[in-house]
Amino acid sequence: MTKPANSWEKLRNFTDARVALGRAGGSLKTAELLSFRKDHALAKDAVWTELDIYFLQEELKKLKLETLVLETQAKDRETFIKRPDLGRKLNASSTESLQTLSQSKEISIILADGLSAQAIALHAIPFLQEFLPLIQGHSLAPISLVKQGRVAISDEIGELFSSKLSIILIGERPGLSSPYSMGVYLTYNPKAGNTDEKRNCISNIRTGGLPYAYAAEKLAFLCSEALRLKLSGVHLKDTFDHHLLKNESGKN
């Protein structure tokens, strides 16, 4: 006798969420339980993995980009996890390094581990390869590579570079279906002490998520709008998709 199809199972074709898992008695099927444990382990590893600074320096060197290695007040990974506030502030030596540079650059770009260093290792370079040609003509500060960094570290770095725009690429909080997802945050007129409503965010940049080219075009559009309107965050409306559709219709 043919087993009747489970209509719930069709939903698995449309989402990475754990739906229609089935059961064996009162428990999950063995395959689903093992899959859950594997994804949970990957998420935990993502949080504790250290940022590979040398790898990023070598890859950025290939793009002919100058780099600067900075550290926050979170001296190690455990402190970073337990004290989020310390990941938002540069340590004294990094602050001094930026102060001695004393150069004004229009855009500061920061790469930080956040809660998934592997996300930066996988996605930062291919994303920058798509994004940088879109902002030619703007002066760039050296690419800052930050260990134990949170999003707000971009404010302090951007301010010390006297930048109009600060952009941070950071590993997002890992989920059970996406342990290596990268987010990008944009802030106009970055200053230490800024709060989150002053930022624009592009999230879920990864294989199986937001494509590099689309995310890069969206960020370039937001940069252009932020510089034109002299603002960012909740006051900068993301009309990129409308802008894209308008351009596409104009070509036809």
Side-chain angles (χ1 to χ4, degrees), residues 76-145:
D76 53 40
R77 201 68 186 157
E78 185 172 359
T79 305
F80 171 79
I81 300 298
K82 293 179 177 179
R83 291 286 307 274
D85 57 314
L86 297 182
R88 301 183 185 115
K89 302 172 184 176
L90 291 172
N91 65 17
S93 61
S94 292
T95 300
E96 186 178 346
S97 295
L98 286 179
Q99 288 172 336
T100 57
L101 288 175
S102 65
Q103 52 180 315
S104 177
K105 298 294 183 181
E106 195 169 16
I107 299 176
S108 296
I109 297 178
I110 301 101
L111 274 55
D113 43 14
L115 290 169
S116 179
Q118 190 66 8
I120 297 302
L122 290 171
H123 308 309
I125 302 303
F127 173 80
L128 287 175
Q129 288 173 325
E130 296 283 351
F131 174 65
L132 292 173
L134 303 177
I135 57 167
Q136 287 184 348
H138 297 284
S139 61
L140 290 181
I143 306 295
S144 299
L145 307 177

Side-chain angles (χ1 to χ4, degrees), residues 35-232:
S35 175
F36 174 83
R37 288 181 174 176
K38 181 197 76 173
D39 290 342
H40 185 251
L42 288 173
K44 287 177 64 177
D45 286 347
V47 170
W48 289 100
T49 299
E50 296 281 350
L51 189 65
D52 190 341
I53 295 290
Y54 177 77
F55 166 77
L56 291 172
Q57 285 179 309
E58 291 301 306
E59 292 300 308
L60 291 166
K61 190 184 296 183
K62 294 175 186 176
L63 299 179
K64 297 180 171 53
L65 293 170
E66 185 183 352
T67 58
L68 185 65
V69 178
L70 303 171
E71 294 182 351
T72 68
Q73 294 179 17
K75 63 182 188 304
D76 53 40
R77 201 68 186 157
E78 185 172 359
T79 305
F80 171 79
I81 300 298
K82 293 179 177 179
R83 291 286 307 274
D85 57 314
L86 297 182
R88 301 183 185 115
K89 302 172 184 176
L90 291 172
N91 65 17
S93 61
S94 292
T95 300
E96 186 178 346
S97 295
L98 286 179
Q99 288 172 336
T100 57
L101 288 175
S102 65
Q103 52 180 315
S104 177
K105 298 294 183 181
E106 195 169 16
I107 299 176
S108 296
I109 297 178
I110 301 101
L111 274 55
D113 43 14
L115 290 169
S116 179
Q118 190 66 8
I120 297 302
L122 290 171
H123 308 309
I125 302 303
F127 173 80
L128 287 175
Q129 288 173 325
E130 296 283 351
F131 174 65
L132 292 173
L134 303 177
I135 57 167
Q136 287 184 348
H138 297 284
S139 61
L140 290 181
I143 306 295
S144 299
L145 307 177
V146 183
K147 296 180 70 173
Q148 325 301 1
R150 302 275 179 173
V151 172
I153 199 68
S154 61
D155 292 319
E156 189 174 359
I157 294 171
E159 183 177 17
L160 288 167
F161 273 123
S162 300
S163 296
K164 293 181 180 178
L165 290 178
S166 179
I167 297 167
I168 185 167
L169 282 56
I170 193 166
E172 296 183 313
R173 180 180 291 106
L176 293 175
S177 60
S178 56
Y180 310 134
S181 181
M182 185 179 78
V184 177
Y185 292 80
L186 164 73
T187 309
Y188 180 81
N189 191 24
K191 291 185 181 300
N194 274 351
T195 45
D196 288 339
E197 89 282 352
K198 296 188 181 296
R199 315 183 212 288
N200 293 86
C201 175
I202 302 173
S203 184
N204 196 35
I205 302 169
R206 63 182 176 92
T207 306
L210 209 62
Y212 302 134
Y214 175 86
E217 288 182 30
K218 180 190 276 279
L219 180 60
F221 172 79
L222 289 173
C223 287
S224 175
E225 288 294 280
L227 291 170
R228 180 176 71 87
L229 299 171
K230 296 180 172 55
L231 50 80
S232 62

